[in-house]
Amino acid sequence: MSNETSRKIEKHPWSYREGTIVTGLILLLGFALQAASGGIVLRIAGFPWNLIAGIIFLFLLVLAFYRWKNHPVMKWLGGVKAALPAILGFTFLVLLMGFIKQDVEPKSAPIKLLGLTHLVKTWPYMLINLYLMILLGIATLKRITPFNYKNAGFFLNHFGLFLVLLSTALGSSDIQHVTMNCYENETEHNALDTSGKPVEMPVTIKLLNFNIDEFRPKVTIIDNKTGQIVLNKNKNPFELLDRNTLDIYGYHLEVEQFLESSGKVGDSYVALNEPGSAPSAKVKVTKDGSEISGWVYSGSYVNQPETLKLNENHSLVMLPAEPRKFSSELNIQTQSGKNVTTTIEVNRPFHIDGWTIYQLSYKTEMGRWSNLSVLELVRDPWLPIVYLGIFLMMAGAAFLFITGNPKDGGTKHVA
């Protein structure tokens, strides 16, 4: 750098224009590296190398800040004129992730080359994330010396966000996602990773019982010639059998009898609770003075559904019941000696020894009679640091809300 250029930098600190240029160059460099590498999926090294890399990054950041903290460029990096364009650049990538479906096979060569279907594992995302962490780190260090009451809220906000970005970046390679197929009254300790490879788990799970609560089934009208559902002037073609009378496509239905679980005996259905039994209903259907009565049956993996022919054009069909909720009663044993019996369901996971166990799926073709429960087990050892960062951000927001922004002293907030 020439003496003239150096004097210009010292005399004229950079502004939003330079911030936009730097952010744009980082994104262009990232996409260039991504294209040059053939659209490679990046993966950060796992523990302990990611931890070592994080410590080195923090050391170099602190060293650089205290070595050049009075330099105009360092002051600019810790200010809003660098931060705002960087945030906009990061937001641009987030918007791309919203418009382009992620973690799928790319449909065209340019999308694959730029890594647009896996952006969080690409050079542009990693570089802009690193740049944001540098800016946040410098802005946070500026408020540590001198640290006082006026700087507390700002410090908590920015240091919390810094922790979230750092831990999610470094911890991405340590996250484990596996699925486990558990059959009733059987013990399982093997799972499958995202590539389908078997993984021996440090937990053993026995499925004691699998339960499904179902909604009442829906009915609809189909065309006898095409077998297609008859559409009724943009109205919902399905009606839920949760009441005794209803109207659908000009037909008036009266539910004379409804059986939640049934089987066919002769020409009618009776209540039955054994594998393969399914909902049925005896209905009376009237239209334009004509009347017909009969049974409709939703069918199951054992028995075929039964429809009620209304006339030459239309038939009434009962659809398979949809699950309201499903849950698994599990006995879980760990290598640490824990032995726990618990019940999990969708959105109600169970946490044990660093693992979170989710209710994922079941054997859908068997419906409520499924003897298979599919579980998802997730382990993220960096998650406590993410939670700590979020807590610090909330504490900083609360602090600023209670105390308000200081009217004197300090510098302007970065964000």
Side-chain angles (χ1 to χ4, degrees), residues 43-273:
R43 183 178 175 85
I44 295 177
F47 184 85
W49 303 111
N50 50 359
L51 178 60
I52 295 172
I55 293 173
I56 293 174
F57 169 73
L58 291 174
F59 173 77
L60 293 177
L61 182 64
V62 173
L63 180 65
F65 174 77
Y66 284 105
R67 174 66 178 82
W68 296 291
K69 68 177 180 179
N70 293 320
H71 195 280
V73 173
M74 186 64 71
K75 292 179 179 179
W76 175 81
L77 288 172
V80 69
K81 294 177 182 179
L84 184 57
I87 292 171
L88 292 176
F90 186 82
T91 304
F92 168 71
L93 294 183
V94 173
L95 288 175
L96 278 181
M97 285 186 269
F99 286 111
I100 302 174
K101 193 172 183 180
Q102 299 295 293
D103 299 321
V104 295
E105 193 67 27
K107 295 182 179 180
S108 65
I111 290 178
K112 180 179 180 181
L113 198 63
L114 296 176
L116 299 183
T117 54
H118 53 272
L119 273 168
V120 295
K121 299 175 183 176
T122 61
W123 278 109
Y125 184 89
M126 297 247 182
L127 290 178
I128 200 69
N129 194 55
L130 176 63
Y131 181 51
L132 263 179
M133 284 191 293
I134 292 172
L135 300 184
L136 276 170
I138 293 172
T140 303
L141 288 169
K142 284 173 63 177
R143 292 303 180 99
I144 291 180
T145 52
F147 185 80
N148 53 47
Y149 176 80
K150 296 176 182 178
N151 292 337
F154 180 94
F155 171 79
L156 291 172
N157 270 324
H158 288 68
F159 184 62
L161 181 57
F162 178 80
L163 280 182
V164 170
L165 291 177
L166 182 66
S167 55
T168 51
L170 296 180
S172 59
S173 57
D174 289 333
I175 299 175
Q176 292 178 267
H177 286 269
V178 297
T179 56
M180 181 180 287
N181 296 329
C182 296
Y183 289 88
E184 282 187 341
N185 300 315
E186 292 186 14
T187 300
E188 185 61 70
H189 67 275
N190 289 317
L192 299 175
D193 63 15
T194 53
S195 62
K197 296 180 180 179
V199 180
E200 188 170 351
M201 300 297 294
V203 296
T204 300
I205 299 178
K206 181 177 182 180
L207 178 61
L208 303 178
N209 194 23
F210 180 71
N211 292 303
I212 296 182
D213 293 334
E214 296 177 329
F215 293 102
R216 279 202 171 192
K218 295 177 181 178
V219 292
T220 190
I221 303 294
I222 64 169
D223 187 291
N224 290 337
K225 294 180 181 179
T226 65
Q228 300 296 314
I229 295 173
V230 177
L231 301 179
N232 187 16
K233 298 179 181 178
N234 297 324
K235 293 183 179 179
N236 189 350
F238 307 102
E239 290 289 342
L240 191 67
L241 282 181
D242 59 348
R243 53 196 186 278
N244 292 328
T245 61
L246 55 93
D247 295 293
I248 179 171
Y249 201 72
Y251 293 94
H252 180 72
L253 276 67
E254 295 182 30
V255 181
E256 298 179 331
Q257 186 179 3
F258 176 79
L259 300 174
E260 185 177 342
S261 180
S262 62
K264 191 170 185 179
V265 177
D267 293 330
S268 62
Y269 287 84
V270 297
L272 196 63
N273 190 28

Side-chain angles (χ1 to χ4, degrees), residues 199-367:
V199 180
E200 188 170 351
M201 300 297 294
V203 296
T204 300
I205 299 178
K206 181 177 182 180
L207 178 61
L208 303 178
N209 194 23
F210 180 71
N211 292 303
I212 296 182
D213 293 334
E214 296 177 329
F215 293 102
R216 279 202 171 192
K218 295 177 181 178
V219 292
T220 190
I221 303 294
I222 64 169
D223 187 291
N224 290 337
K225 294 180 181 179
T226 65
Q228 300 296 314
I229 295 173
V230 177
L231 301 179
N232 187 16
K233 298 179 181 178
N234 297 324
K235 293 183 179 179
N236 189 350
F238 307 102
E239 290 289 342
L240 191 67
L241 282 181
D242 59 348
R243 53 196 186 278
N244 292 328
T245 61
L246 55 93
D247 295 293
I248 179 171
Y249 201 72
Y251 293 94
H252 180 72
L253 276 67
E254 295 182 30
V255 181
E256 298 179 331
Q257 186 179 3
F258 176 79
L259 300 174
E260 185 177 342
S261 180
S262 62
K264 191 170 185 179
V265 177
D267 293 330
S268 62
Y269 287 84
V270 297
L272 196 63
N273 190 28
E274 64 180 29
S277 58
S280 64
K282 186 178 183 182
V283 297
K284 182 171 67 174
V285 185
T286 57
K287 182 180 182 180
D288 300 331
S290 63
E291 180 181 301
I292 188 170
S293 180
W295 288 88
V296 285
Y297 179 66
S298 67
S300 68
Y301 70 100
V302 174
N303 303 308
Q304 292 294 320
E306 183 166 337
T307 64
L308 177 63
K309 187 176 181 180
L310 303 177
N311 50 46
E312 291 301 318
N313 297 319
H314 299 144
S315 292
L316 180 69
V317 176
M318 176 184 284
L319 304 179
E322 299 175 357
R324 188 196 310 267
K325 69 175 183 178
F326 47 96
S327 60
S328 299
E329 184 182 359
L330 309 173
N331 177 256
I332 306 170
Q333 299 181 32
T334 69
Q335 291 181 345
S336 62
K338 295 179 182 177
N339 190 328
V340 180
T341 298
T342 187
T343 299
I344 66 169
E345 59 186 59
V346 178
N347 297 325
R348 286 185 57 190
F350 183 73
H351 307 273
I352 186 168
D353 282 6
W355 288 92
T356 302
I357 305 174
Y358 296 90
Q359 178 68 69
L360 184 62
S361 184
Y362 60 97
K363 201 170 185 178
T364 53
E365 60 268 25
M366 293 183 67

